[in-house]
Every structure is written in C-alpha cells, then in structure tokens.
Amino acid sequence: MSTRCGIGYDLHRLEQGRKLIVGGIELPFEKGPMGHSDGDVLAHALCDALLGAAGLGDIGTHFPDTDPKWKGANSMRFLEHAKKLLDEKRFAIEHVDAVVITEKPKLGPHFPKMREALAKALGVGAEKIHLKAKTNEGVDAIGRGEAIAAHVVATLTSR
Ligand code: MG
C-alpha cells in the first residue's frame, strides 16, 4: 500500500449580489464569489488536492471555465467526478485537511453541515474531513473582505 498527498489552493473575488457557497453550503451574507461555477473555493481547492494526489491534473483540465456546461455549476459535481476518477485508479481518501480564509462571515458554525456535504459528495465519512477557519487580520484583499481563499491537503492511499 502507498500513501500520497496532494495540495490545493483557490481564491475568488467577493462581489455584492452573489450567493456565498462554501463547502456545498449556502451561507447568509451580502457578498459571494465571482466565478464561472458557483465559486465554492473550498470545493475547488479540495478537488485540486485530490486530483494532485492522484496525479490526475487539476480542476481546470477536467472542468474548463470556457465550457458552458459548467456555468453556474454546483461544485459538488466536481467532487463527485473527482471521486469517480480516484475510484477508477483505486485510490482511497484517507484524510482531508482544509483552511478557509475570509474576514466575514464566521464559518465555524457551518462546519458540521459543510463536512457532511463534502463527505457525501466524496462518499466518505465526515470524520475524514477536517475544516479550519482563519481571518486575514484585516490585511490585504482578503482582510478587506474583497476575496475568500482556501488551502487543502488531501491524503490518499492506493493498493
Ligand atoms: Mg475556483
């Protein structure tokens, strides 16, 4: 059996009048991410971490933002597809560790629901998904509330 790690990162600009969807959950907030899909930074960074660990490229390869098929797409579909690719290559998801960085709103209270949604999309138990929230201490674009970002590390095993 071998173990492999993958890293993923994503950032989206926040604009008035867009829905804020993080980890598959819609949060009550006046701004949301710009993006071709629903702009779910956590799902996108997670997708890249999984694809990276499996040596399967990145989210842009599989879901190009020039393809109208993915316009406004629910990012849980990206994760479901990534999971299918991992299954085909006989990779199992051991653990996911994530940091989501945004000045507002508070994410922690929504983590149980996000973990459930992500775990469901990936067909794993919620105990395998670990989420952390940070602010940027008022510094730079994230600190000014102009953007939201996520970093994810995924660990896979294969036989
Ligand atoms: Mg993205």
Side-chain angles (χ1 to χ4, degrees), residues 2-53:
S2 72
T3 303
R4 298 167 70 151
C5 288
I7 185 170
Y9 168 77
D10 195 28
L11 178 147
H12 282 256
R13 279 188 291 125
L14 292 171
E15 299 282 350
Q16 299 282 345
R18 295 269 304 180
K19 279 185 190 171
L20 178 58
I21 295 172
V22 183
I25 302 299
E26 187 179 337
L27 310 182
F29 193 53
E30 74 264 20
K31 290 183 188 176
M34 295 298 291
H36 187 69
S37 67
D38 62 9
D40 186 334
V41 278
L42 176 53
H44 296 179
L46 173 52
C47 195
D48 264 356
L50 295 169
L51 293 171

Side-chain angles (χ1 to χ4, degrees), residues 31-147:
K31 290 183 188 176
M34 295 298 291
H36 187 69
S37 67
D38 62 9
D40 186 334
V41 278
L42 176 53
H44 296 179
L46 173 52
C47 195
D48 264 356
L50 295 169
L51 293 171
L56 290 169
D58 65 13
I59 193 168
T61 318
H62 296 276
F63 313 103
D65 63 8
T66 47
D67 189 338
K69 187 172 150 192
W70 305 116
K71 189 164 167 54
N74 177 342
S75 296
M76 295 300 104
R77 284 177 59 204
F78 301 162
L79 292 178
E80 287 161 9
H81 184 74
K83 162 70 172 166
K84 214 166 70 185
L85 296 174
L86 296 187
D87 285 347
E88 283 167 12
K89 291 195 96 182
R90 295 171 165 263
F91 283 111
I93 299 165
E94 287 306 316
H95 192 68
V96 167
D97 192 21
V99 186
V100 185
I101 313 162
T102 187
E103 215 60 21
K104 278 183 195 167
K106 277 218 172 306
L107 301 177
H110 305 284
F111 279 171
K113 277 192 167 174
M114 288 182 200
R115 292 176 69 199
E116 236 172 75
L118 295 169
K120 188 178 167 211
L122 296 176
V124 299
E127 76 283 353
K128 294 198 172 184
I129 313 283
H130 192 247
L131 305 178
K132 300 186 292 293
K134 301 291 283 182
T135 72
N136 227 19
E137 299 275 332
V139 174
D140 81 22
I142 295 175
R144 289 191 298 272
E146 295 167 9

